[in-house]
Amino acid sequence: MAAIVQTVAYLGLEARGVEVQVQLVPGLPAFVVVGLGDKAVAESRERVRSAISAMGLALPPKRIVVNLSPADLPKEGSHFDLPIALGLLGAMGVIDVEALADYCVVGELGLDGRIAPSPGVLLAALHAGAEGRGLICPAAQGAEAAWAGSVEVLAAPDLLALINHFKGHGLLSPPAAGEVEPVGTGPDLRQVKGQEVAKRALEIAAAGGHNLLMVGPPGAGKSLMASCLPGILPPLDAAEALEVSMVRSVAGTLGNGRLTRNRPFRSPHHSASMAALTGGGLKVKPGEVSLAHLGVLFLDELPEFQRGVLDSLRQPLEAGVVSVARANAHVTFPARVQLIAAMNPCRCGHLGDASLACARAPRCAADYQAKVSGPLLDRIDLHVEVAAVGAADLALPPAAEGSREVAARVAAARAIQTARYAGEEARTNADADGALLDRVATPDAAGGALLAQAADAMRMSARGYTRVLRVARTIADLAGSPVVTRIHVAEALGYRRRAPIA
């Protein structure tokens, strides 16, 4: 007897079809799984054996051969348990093999036959829909799979419930799509006392999706302003929410199938490794830069990160994707993020205050800032110095404008960009490049002359020149101006990095 069940293998955000071929052949009793599976796949034999025994069924005294085809495609994860078990039950004649042909199957088995959640169910559901099949998945992830649209989903709590469904004894009801989380609220910009220049830079960064670096002494409010950023960014639209949810599904963090309209905000500790930040590991998983896709990646205490870890962000910030190379496969994750970074001007943090600065100033500042490479700093559009907050600033009443007012201006600027880039690959001004940028951000004669003069005086790279144009275009959008003028270019130039930062 033989049976074939369809499942998937995950490579980044791509689900590739896999055939689980189960055959019972005469010979000494054995259970063999072949097809380039990892240790979790090899261990599935014991989980499948125990789950079938828990239902009172005995494996036939034959040689059981399971082939995962194509055999040269690496297979990772415990989600192969359920398709192997169903294929084996089909080969044993317990379940109709033809009925299984209409479904793609994913799920991990417990020793008692329960079907446990496994990462990537949303990707499997989208793949099944594209192939014209239904999906069999764990009951706990039925709400997640239902977001795939018109795909028939069988969400079963255990193996026995699936057998009863196919025999017609107890049909499984289709699950409802998970809830959409309400847009959350974080710190309000009214909590920030003073720092008008930094708040203006934060608004520009939010409006155009630009990267931002804040440099200032400890306690100046850098982290607070960064945490205010999600509150002024526009919520995710439907397509963006699905993109973010696919990344979370692969990472196994999409709880209860709940989609969110909040933009991701990730703030890894400075001890994070390269694999944690950009993705990888023994089993390739998305890193922080991919988990922050279409949202914010906040790196506090920037120079404290390992230099190699920071430099690994240079390619993702330019390309918007992370490619993790392995000997047997290349895995690609999306990484279109907005980088917000904060740092002290030197190790002691009080470079500008003669009474508090260490005895090695200003040499300590040069050594400390040199931990961050110039090419990485060149990829940051906005550099702003955050001054220390004094007692007089703290005694001031709350600011007249808070996150709600700033968010309204940001939303208006984003609406202009959405209309401008309709049909283009770019979504915001920070994505515009090449001929597209020349078409939408070419300044007027006075602005062009100022930019050319500044580029020569500041010895800007081609990347720096382009990023000034992008920021100027965003400033013009906030002002409602269709043309980039000299005043917009001048403000954008004010946010360029000057060495040294202090």
Side-chain angles (χ1 to χ4, degrees):
M1 291 292 292
I4 295 178
V5 177
Q6 301 294 327
T7 184
V8 295
Y10 303 115
L11 285 179
L13 291 193
E14 180 186 2
R16 295 191 183 180
V18 172
E19 268 192 4
V20 179
Q21 305 164 356
V22 183
Q23 192 172 38
L24 304 180
V25 296
L28 293 176
F31 195 156
V32 181
V33 179
V34 298
L36 207 59
D38 68 348
K39 188 169 180 59
V41 176
E43 291 173 345
S44 67
R45 294 173 301 178
E46 302 306 323
R47 291 191 292 269
V48 170
R49 191 195 308 271
S50 297
I52 292 178
S53 297
M55 295 187 300
L57 299 175
L59 296 182
K62 295 184 178 181
R63 183 177 177 85
I64 302 170
V65 181
V66 179
N67 179 41
L68 307 178
S69 176
D72 61 345
L73 177 68
K75 323 294 190 312
E76 295 181 349
S78 58
H79 66 279
F80 291 98
D81 291 1
L82 186 56
I84 290 174
L86 292 181
L88 182 54
L89 291 172
M92 293 166 57
V94 178
I95 296 179
D96 183 12
V97 176
E98 293 184 359
L100 293 174
D102 297 330
Y103 294 94
C104 179
V105 185
V106 292
E108 177 185 328
L109 282 178
L111 298 182
D112 56 357
R114 287 179 298 173
I115 304 176
S118 60
V121 166
L122 180 57
L123 270 70
L126 293 170
H127 172 82
E131 296 290 322
R133 292 189 172 91
L135 178 75
I136 298 176
C137 68
Q141 293 176 299
E144 176 183 339
W147 282 109
S150 58
V151 179
E152 179 190 358
V153 178
L154 295 181
D158 50 51
L159 200 53
L160 183 60
L162 270 179
I163 295 175
N164 290 335
H165 175 86
F166 284 110
K167 288 184 173 296
H169 299 325
L171 298 180
L172 295 170
S173 56
E179 300 178 359
V180 178
E181 295 178 1
V183 177
T185 57
D188 195 284
L189 279 175
R190 280 196 174 89
Q191 298 175 235
V192 181
K193 299 295 183 71
Q195 310 296 8
E196 298 304 322
V197 174
K199 286 193 285 187
R200 169 64 175 173
L202 195 70
E203 179 179 342
I204 296 170
H210 302 289
N211 302 327
L212 169 66
L213 171 64
M214 294 178 284
V215 183
K222 303 184 295 295
S223 299
L224 174 60
M225 284 186 283
S227 63
C228 291
L229 183 58
I232 63 177
L233 287 171
L236 297 167
D237 60 30
E240 290 175 333
L242 187 60
E243 280 188 60
V244 171
S245 298
M246 288 170 65
V247 178
R248 293 178 60 193
S249 178
V250 171
T253 59
L254 191 61
N256 300 321
R258 290 170 64 92
L259 266 66
T260 179
R261 301 294 298 276
N262 294 312
R263 294 192 177 272
F265 183 86
R266 307 290 298 188
S267 179
H269 190 260
H270 57 73
S271 61
S273 66
M274 188 180 299
L277 202 61
T278 60
L282 183 60
K283 294 183 179 180
V284 181
K285 291 290 185 181
E288 292 291 334
V289 71
S290 295
L291 293 172
H293 178 57
L294 298 179
V296 177
L297 177 66
F298 176 48
L299 302 183
D300 201 4
E301 308 296 346
L302 186 67
E304 299 298 336
F305 285 82
Q306 298 177 38
R307 182 161 186 163
V309 172
L310 288 181
D311 284 341
S312 69
L313 292 175
R314 285 155 57 176
Q315 183 266 343
L317 290 177
E318 283 291 310
V321 295
V322 172
S323 295
V324 181
R326 289 291 184 268
N328 52 12
H330 282 237
V331 180
T332 300
F333 294 109
R336 196 185 293 267
V337 300
Q338 183 175 359
L339 174 65
I340 306 297
M343 61 180 284
N344 297 329
C346 61
R347 184 169 293 279
C348 70
H350 300 285
L351 182 65
D353 190 335
S355 62
L356 296 175
C358 68
R360 294 186 64 246
R363 176 64 184 272
C364 68
D367 294 343
Y368 190 67
Q369 294 168 17
K371 292 183 176 182
V372 185
S373 68
L376 178 63
L377 291 174
D378 202 34
R379 286 166 167 80
I380 299 179
D381 306 341
L382 303 164
H383 296 249
V384 61
E385 294 187 21
V386 181
V389 179
D393 295 319
L394 295 175
L396 292 174
E401 280 191 344
S403 293
R404 178 178 297 181
E405 292 78 13
V406 175
R409 292 197 296 269
V410 169
R414 286 287 185 108
I416 293 173
Q417 294 166 57
T418 300
R420 176 187 298 134
Y421 300 123
E424 303 284 352
E425 186 177 350
R427 305 188 190 191
T428 62
N429 289 330
D431 301 328
D433 210 347
L436 177 60
L437 187 65
D438 293 338
R439 190 170 73 246
V440 303
T442 299
D444 60 12
L450 175 61
L451 181 57
Q453 181 183 2
D456 184 58
M458 298 171 68
R459 302 180 65 86
M460 284 187 200
S461 65
R463 181 186 292 114
Y465 183 93
T466 298
R467 290 183 179 274
V468 169
L469 276 181
R470 292 172 178 171
V471 174
R473 179 67 267 179
T474 299
I475 295 170
D477 288 341
L478 285 169
S481 172
V483 179
V484 177
T485 65
R486 180 183 175 90
I487 191 171
H488 305 137
V489 172
E491 184 176 1
L493 288 170
Y495 297 116
R496 283 307 295 171
R497 171 178 176 252
R498 294 173 178 81
I501 296 176

